[in-house]
Amino acid sequence: MFEEEYKLEFFKEKGYIRKVCPSCQTGYWTLEDSATVCGDTPCVEYSFIGASPMNRPYSLDEVREFYLKFFEEMGHKRFERYPVIARWRDDVFLTNASIYAFQPFVTGGLIPPPANPLTMSQPCIRMSDLDSVGKTGKHLSSFEMMAHHAFNSDKEEVYWKDKTTRLCHELLTKTFGVAENGIIYKEKPWFGGGNAGPSLEVQVSGLELATLVFMNLKRDDRGKTEIEGELYSPNELRIVDTGYGLERFAWASMATPTIYDAIYPDLTKELFEASGISHELENERYASIMAEHAKLAGIMDVRTDTKLQDLRMECVKRLGKKGFEITIKELNEMMAPIEKVYAIVDHTHTLAFMHTDGIVPSNTKAGYLARLVIRRTLRFMEALNLEYSLSELVLRQIKTFDNILNQELNDVIVEMLDLETKRYHETMGKGTRLVKTFLEKTVRKEEIPLDTLIDFYDTHGIHPRVVQTIARDMDLNVEIPDAFNSIIATRHQSPEAEKDKKKKIYDLPPTKLLYYEPTDLKECDAVVLHSDEGKVILDGTVFYPEGGGQPCDFGVISTPSKIVNVTDVQRYGDVIVHTVDSNIPKGEMVHCSVDWDRRMALTRHQSGTHVILGSARNVLGGHVWQSGAQKGLDQSRVDISHFRKIEEEEIEKIELVANETLLKNIPVEKIWMDRGEAEKQYGFRLYQGGVPIGKKIRVVRIGDFDVEACAGTHVRQTNELGLIKILKTERIQDGVERIIFSAGMASVKHVQKHHSLLRESAGVLRVFPEQLPKTVNRFFEEWKSQKKQIEKLRKHGAQSPVQALKEGAELAGDVKLLSHIQEDADKNTFEELIAIGRKVYDMEKTVAILGCDFEGGKIIIARSKDLDLDCAALASEAGKLIGGGGGGKPEFAQAGGKSKKDIQKAVNELKKKIKDLL
């Protein structure tokens, strides 16, 4: 396919020969007449390991700068990188390639490119080969794709295939010193993101250093070109889409056995030492083992454990032939920890990009993929018994790559990753018990369905490897799927496609949108262009249609003969459809009136959402993004990305910042802008509530406080919001917090309601509202104390307190002497002791001495009516013993003092005296 497309003048000038590889049946271009294969793995092995094809070793920073400088000198504008989270797209979560930065709006011809031609080095994240990271020596979950792009059209021809290939060739030969005869160009059709075209893979020493894509087709069901079962037709733009592997350039220049040793030399060395792993590349035997393993990984599939063992067996054979004897067991034991170190350095680099670009770990969207990498890294760190924290390693990567990574979120990232680590360990503990219970109940334990394993991971954080380990401890053998991480990453790499909601298409002119300007327009006149079954379309409307989380307007439409109610308003393309409760004839001139109270309530909550979001970002950090919103009449909600529950103090700060913003009376600007210009000026913070379609987008800006693309209705100045009140916050899912708030008169009503509740509550307790906290706390403490007393008395079973005292009584002749001292007593306890003492009077031949430590110490002395004993005199003596006094009646008396510590002594003295008297 595309064979004619590859016949370039450049190849002819240089003397390149086209051949077909007998191994993969692919066409390729080479200067070597003796060449027999395409120069790509697995048709050939790496030949650069230990023998670099470049003129010297290059660091990552050097490769990037030499590359960008070369293309700047060739007339390209250097373009800053885009985030690794594709905020500007609604079809993917992560940036997989440099062309993602320009899809779909530039590649679709909707907006012009920011420069033409341009060059950039775009960080990318790909999770589809996650299980291969660390094993093959070449796979990375994050990398930089250096690129130069040109966008050709009938109006502007920049450059196409021939110059693209010349530029690549010159870069390799003149900048990096690669020999011309060492460069092979391999033909390969390319497709992705709805586009396709011919491409050339640039092979050097068995390593693909670059891909040159010539994107000239677009997916079209009526197209005539078929690729992989899809039909394509010519695209309006012919796009040069190139990708040069930054890390691969550095690897080839350093000629190390693995890419990890080339791009993360310091951290890999440190982690090897911390893990007790000997990693001596200068040792001939060790270097040979690593080199052979890497070469084989380049030509063999290692995505499954079985195939990895096949690779190791072949490696053992090769090493034996070279005089380096090693067993398969020794090789496995050697490589297992090494692969974990490689994966850790790669994964922490990936997390550094994810989190500095604002991804918050969660169980959905990009946050799910971040958590997947976090947990895989933590498992490897545990297996190696590393004493580092995950946050420490990620922070190291952030600081190492500080020339391309944002440093502003470092404190947030440390807190976030420390919390994720804690949650991981907690989840593992709970999940382990669940797995054991499951395995005990499962009949055929060796065949756990993939969906069950995914549920274990998604719901409980338990990886299949952990399931297998638990099963092994139970003397069970459980088979788990290969490449599990790659499977679930692929499942979660893009949003679920929404089911097409087929809306009726009206062949009518676009409706004039009169609800935007002026913002206080309440009425308008219009002509009915369409009317059918209660659906009315006007030439212009003041009614806002439902959209962006804002409900539609209500109101009335008046005709010369009647007034009809508008009960729903929806947008169908460029046409606004009104649902009315009575038909209106087509062609009728009508007058529209909006329910203004409803409109203003919704408008205030729409603008209030922007203020709350900006305030949350101000208080919580730059990682805060809107995850959803819904406006209402009495209250609204905005969902934000955040890694923990919002604390009360933070809620108060957010509310204060919001209301300070209202008091500043900042103008709320609403401007229609070209999408490219808006992105250039404000960045991707624009896309909080989703990605609007169209060449032009409506930008709503509140000074320097907040700016978003928004089609909703808004106030003119922030003071028109009146008051913002946060009603509550709640966690709706992991990584997403919901803030429920009110604005305008709705806030005033909520405040009044709360004040009324306070006033009523204070009235019940007969205190002033400001005394409520202290009073409620006192009642609560008293309640706790009573509960404690009840629990102590319950220890005596169903007995009454008096009966319990009787059973512990001493005898003085034929008289029962009851005694008890209650510690940690309060007023209620003291009153209970008094009640018990009063009951003694009706008993037979009984004396009770009851003490407690309430208010410095209290002692109650009581006797039954059949005894002749002066309790008042005894109380007076007891009072002196505890630093106070006492008195009462002969049958019942009390003593009080200031020395709690002497209560026991006083009770003992009383007991002795009473025994003597009796």
Side-chain angles (χ1 to χ4, degrees):
M1 181 177 289
F2 299 127
E3 187 172 330
E4 292 298 316
E5 297 270 6
Y6 299 112
K7 295 180 179 179
L8 307 182
E9 185 63 29
F10 168 76
F11 288 154
K12 184 178 179 181
E13 289 177 9
K14 286 288 183 180
Y16 268 87
I17 308 164
R18 185 181 188 274
K19 295 188 174 187
V20 176
C21 179
S23 179
C24 64
Q25 304 301 312
T26 303
Y28 66 97
W29 296 81
T30 177
L31 289 172
E32 292 290 333
D33 188 50
S34 59
T36 57
V37 289
C38 63
D40 188 14
T41 56
C43 301
V44 297
E45 293 183 10
Y46 299 147
S47 58
F48 68 90
I49 295 177
S52 173
M54 296 187 178
N55 49 18
R56 70 172 178 85
Y58 290 88
S59 68
L60 290 176
D61 287 342
E62 287 178 320
V63 173
R64 185 189 304 111
E65 187 54 34
F66 274 112
Y67 176 90
L68 293 173
K69 186 177 180 181
F70 171 85
F71 280 98
E72 277 186 309
E73 292 173 351
M74 294 297 167
H76 296 66
K77 183 176 179 180
R78 187 183 297 212
F79 195 66
E80 292 300 316
R81 78 171 184 91
Y82 272 41
V84 296
I85 177 169
R87 306 274 187 192
W88 61 97
R89 296 181 61 166
D90 57 10
D91 59 334
V92 294
F93 295 134
L94 301 175
T95 305
N96 279 190
S98 62
I99 195 63
Y100 273 44
F102 311 106
Q103 290 174 322
F105 303 114
V106 175
T107 57
L110 195 65
I111 63 173
N116 199 10
L118 60 84
T119 186
M120 66 192 302
S121 187
Q122 175 61 44
C124 302
I125 296 177
R126 289 184 186 173
M127 311 284 276
S128 55
D129 291 315
L130 195 60
D131 290 281
S132 297
V133 174
K135 295 178 181 178
T136 62
K138 70 174 181 179
H139 279 98
L140 301 169
S141 60
S142 58
F143 58 94
E144 281 185 57
M145 182 179 287
M146 303 182 296
H148 57 100
H149 296 289
F151 304 88
N152 300 283
S153 66
D154 293 339
K155 296 180 180 179
E156 182 182 18
E157 183 72 22
V158 184
Y159 62 80
W160 192 225
K161 293 177 293 185
D162 200 78
K163 185 173 179 179
T164 301
T165 312
R166 290 176 188 274
L167 289 170
C168 174
H169 200 79
E170 187 172 339
L171 173 78
L172 290 173
T173 55
K174 294 186 178 180
T175 301
F176 293 101
V178 178
E180 279 194 320
N181 62 356
I183 305 172
I184 296 174
Y185 296 92
K186 179 183 175 182
E187 303 171 356
K188 187 175 182 180
W190 178 93
F191 58 95
N195 296 108
S199 77
L200 291 169
E201 293 180 346
V202 185
Q203 309 292 336
V204 175
S205 300
L207 184 65
E208 182 186 339
L209 288 179
T211 303
L212 315 177
V213 177
F214 307 105
M215 194 187 298
N216 57 1
L217 298 172
K218 63 180 178 181
R219 191 177 297 145
D220 184 353
D221 291 340
R222 296 169 294 180
K224 296 181 179 179
T225 302
E226 183 176 347
I227 305 174
E228 297 290 326
E230 297 281 355
L231 294 177
Y232 292 83
S233 64
N235 195 28
E236 290 78 9
L237 290 177
R238 288 171 291 109
I239 301 168
V240 172
D241 171 25
T242 65
Y244 296 70
L246 170 70
E247 292 81 4
R248 291 192 175 197
F249 269 67
W251 183 22
S253 76
M254 295 185 185
T256 55
T258 77
I259 198 168
Y260 318 108
D261 296 302
I263 63 178
Y264 307 119
D266 296 333
L267 189 55
T268 51
K269 182 179 180 181
E270 183 176 333
L271 294 186
F272 281 134
E273 290 176 356
S275 305
I277 301 170
S278 176
H279 190 64
E280 302 173 357
L281 291 178
E282 63 275 8
N283 179 288
E284 184 183 0
R285 180 177 185 275
Y286 183 84
S288 295
I289 294 172
M290 294 299 296
E292 288 301 325
H293 195 278
K295 289 176 182 178
L296 286 168
I299 63 172
M300 296 179 71
D301 185 354
V302 297
R303 285 175 293 181
T304 69
D305 288 345
T306 302
K307 291 179 178 178
L308 181 61
Q309 287 306 302
D310 291 341
L311 180 152
R312 300 250 168 97
M313 289 293 293
E314 181 61 29
C315 188
V316 168
K317 292 177 185 177
R318 287 196 180 190
L319 290 167
K321 291 179 181 178
K322 292 186 177 183
F324 299 110
E325 296 296 332
I326 188 171
T327 66
I328 186 68
K329 181 182 179 182
E330 289 173 334
L331 185 58
N332 280 330
E333 290 175 350
M334 170 185 165
M335 294 304 299
I338 290 174
E339 290 166 355
K340 289 180 175 63
V341 169
Y342 287 154
I344 289 169
V345 294
D346 167 86
H347 291 2
T348 51
H349 178 262
T350 298
L351 292 172
F353 275 91
M354 282 182 152
H355 297 320
T356 55
D357 279 353
I359 297 178
V360 173
S362 70
N363 52 15
T364 62
K365 302 181 180 178
Y368 179 96
L369 299 172
R371 178 165 288 165
L372 174 63
V373 178
I374 288 170
R375 290 179 174 176
R376 190 167 194 260
T377 309
L378 288 170
R379 285 197 304 276
F380 290 153
M381 291 175 68
E382 280 186 336
L384 295 174
N385 294 314
L386 290 176
E387 295 182 359
Y388 297 84
S389 67
L390 176 60
S391 61
E392 181 182 354
L393 294 180
V394 172
L395 200 60
R396 286 272 297 277
Q397 295 280 29
I398 293 172
K399 291 179 178 178
T400 299
F401 293 88
D402 61 353
N403 57 333
I404 57 173
L405 288 178
N406 175 17
Q407 304 290 309
E408 295 175 3
L409 296 178
N410 287 2
D411 291 342
V412 170
I413 291 169
V414 169
E415 182 185 358
M416 185 165 62
L417 288 174
D418 287 346
L419 183 59
E420 276 295 302
T421 301
K422 180 183 177 183
R423 286 174 177 164
Y424 167 77
H425 292 301
E426 291 172 350
T427 302
M428 285 292 292
K430 295 175 184 177
T432 299
R433 292 190 293 272
L434 184 118
V435 171
K436 286 182 178 179
T437 302
F438 173 83
L439 290 173
E440 288 168 355
K441 294 180 180 180
T442 303
V443 180
R444 298 190 66 189
K445 302 178 183 70
E446 72 282 359
E447 295 181 6
I448 300 178
L450 176 61
D451 287 343
T452 301
L453 290 172
I454 290 175
D455 182 65
F456 276 145
Y457 179 81
D458 285 352
T459 307
H460 309 287
I462 302 297
H463 192 272
R465 294 286 181 193
V466 178
V467 176
Q468 192 177 50
T469 301
I470 295 170
R472 194 176 294 126
D473 293 341
M474 298 170 67
D475 294 324
L476 299 171
N477 181 37
V478 172
E479 295 296 326
I480 64 172
D482 289 306
F484 177 80
N485 296 288
S486 301
I487 291 170
I488 56 176
T490 302
R491 286 192 177 195
H492 291 82
Q493 68 184 355
S494 59
E496 290 185 16
E498 292 186 7
K499 294 180 180 179
D500 292 334
K501 296 179 180 178
K502 291 191 176 180
K503 288 189 174 183
K504 188 172 180 179
I505 299 174
Y506 295 91
D507 186 17
L508 292 170
T511 306
K512 296 175 185 176
L513 310 181
L514 306 176
Y515 45 76
Y516 282 141
E517 294 296 339
T519 55
D520 58 354
L521 185 63
K522 305 174 184 178
E523 303 177 10
C524 74
D525 292 322
V527 176
V528 178
L529 301 181
H530 172 88
S531 181
D532 181 43
E533 297 181 352
K535 306 295 183 184
V536 172
I537 299 174
L538 310 173
D539 64 337
T541 185
V542 74
F543 291 100
Y544 178 81
E546 180 183 10
Q550 180 174 334
C552 67
D553 285 338
F554 289 168
V556 297
I557 296 177
S558 304
T559 74
S561 58
K562 60 181 177 180
I563 298 176
V564 301
N565 294 307
V566 177
T567 59
D568 188 34
V569 186
Q570 298 292 328
R571 183 166 188 154
Y572 292 74
D574 292 329
V575 173
I576 308 297
V577 180
H578 310 72
T579 300
V580 294
D581 59 4
S582 179
N583 281 330
I584 305 173
K586 179 181 176 180
E588 190 97 13
M589 176 68 75
V590 297
H591 185 75
C592 305
S593 300
V594 172
D595 179 340
W596 196 247
D597 289 341
R598 174 185 171 86
R599 161 72 77 79
M600 285 309 299
L602 294 170
T603 295
R604 288 190 178 100
H605 281 107
Q606 175 69 268
S607 297
T609 299
H610 290 223
V611 174
I612 284 287
L613 183 62
S615 302
R617 188 164 53 244
N618 183 290
V619 173
L620 302 176
H623 63 286
V624 169
W625 285 76
Q626 180 177 311
S627 296
Q630 183 61 49
K631 292 79 183 179
L633 297 173
D634 299 321
Q635 65 182 41
S636 292
R637 63 169 171 80
V638 57
D639 302 333
I640 63 169
S641 56
H642 191 49
F643 53 91
R644 58 168 169 76
K645 189 179 186 299
I646 305 175
E647 298 173 359
E648 285 297 325
E649 184 180 348
E650 293 170 329
I651 294 171
E652 291 177 2
K653 286 182 180 179
I654 293 169
E655 190 174 85
L656 282 173
V657 171
N659 284 289
E660 285 172 359
T661 304
L662 306 194
L663 290 173
K664 290 177 182 177
N665 199 21
I666 303 171
V668 180
E669 300 176 74
K670 288 81 69 174
I671 312 165
W672 287 95
M673 298 182 68
D674 285 332
R675 180 185 297 274
E677 185 59 33
E679 289 180 358
K680 182 179 179 181
Q681 190 167 342
Y682 300 116
F684 299 113
R685 282 280 174 198
L686 286 168
Y687 303 135
Q688 294 290 336
V691 183
I693 60 173
K695 182 178 181 180
K696 286 184 173 290
I697 58 176
R698 186 168 179 260
V699 176
V700 176
R701 179 171 174 260
I702 305 175
D704 296 328
F705 185 74
D706 183 77
V707 60
E708 301 176 34
C710 180
T713 60
H714 286 271
V715 297
R716 291 167 296 189
Q717 309 272 142
T718 56
N719 70 340
E720 292 180 23
L721 291 173
L723 172 71
I724 284 180
K725 181 66 182 172
I726 295 179
L727 307 179
K728 67 174 181 177
T729 65
E730 57 189 17
R731 169 148 286 198
I732 61 167
Q733 65 185 44
D734 209 10
V736 180
E737 293 289 313
R738 173 167 290 172
I739 300 176
I740 300 172
F741 72 96
S742 59
M745 288 304 297
S747 291
V748 176
K749 290 177 181 177
H750 278 294
V751 170
Q752 289 178 334
K753 181 179 179 181
H754 285 188
H755 182 70
S756 177
L757 289 172
L758 282 173
R759 193 170 60 249
E760 288 177 20
S761 301
V764 171
L765 297 174
R766 298 180 181 179
V767 297
F768 292 109
E770 57 268 25
Q771 295 175 319
L772 266 177
K774 184 177 179 181
T775 304
V776 171
N777 185 61
R778 178 168 62 82
F779 274 107
F780 180 68
E781 291 300 323
E782 290 176 359
W783 171 80
K784 282 199 301 183
S785 177
Q786 288 179 343
K787 186 178 180 183
K788 189 184 296 183
Q789 293 301 319
I790 292 169
E791 289 299 322
K792 284 184 178 180
L793 291 172
R794 279 178 180 168
K795 291 179 181 178
H796 298 287
Q799 298 173 325
S800 69
V802 175
Q803 185 64 32
L805 286 170
K806 280 183 178 180
E807 292 193 359
E810 300 177 38
L811 289 175
D814 60 347
V815 177
K816 292 179 181 178
L817 182 57
L818 315 180
S819 65
H820 175 72
I821 298 175
Q822 181 63 54
E823 297 178 352
D824 299 326
D826 57 14
K827 183 179 179 182
N828 292 322
T829 309
F830 179 51
E831 289 175 352
E832 288 173 6
L833 293 176
I834 290 174
I836 293 171
R838 298 272 186 208
K839 293 180 180 180
V840 173
Y841 184 77
D842 293 322
M843 297 179 186
E844 293 182 0
K845 293 187 177 183
T846 304
V847 178
I849 307 169
L850 308 174
C852 70
D853 57 5
F854 175 61
E855 290 185 346
K858 302 284 186 184
I859 297 176
I860 297 165
I861 307 166
R863 65 161 170 84
S864 57
K865 59 188 176 185
D866 56 3
L867 293 177
D868 184 17
L869 191 70
D870 188 356
C871 292
L874 292 170
S876 178
E877 291 185 31
K880 293 176 183 178
L881 292 173
I882 59 174
K889 296 181 179 180
E891 71 276 8
F892 183 89
Q894 299 180 39
K898 300 177 181 178
S899 181
K900 298 179 182 180
K901 62 183 177 59
D902 292 324
I903 292 175
Q904 184 67 60
K905 178 182 177 182
V907 169
N908 291 339
E909 288 290 330
L910 282 171
K911 287 165 68 176
K912 182 179 179 183
K913 186 160 184 82
I914 289 170
K915 287 178 180 179
D916 290 342
L917 289 172
L918 293 173

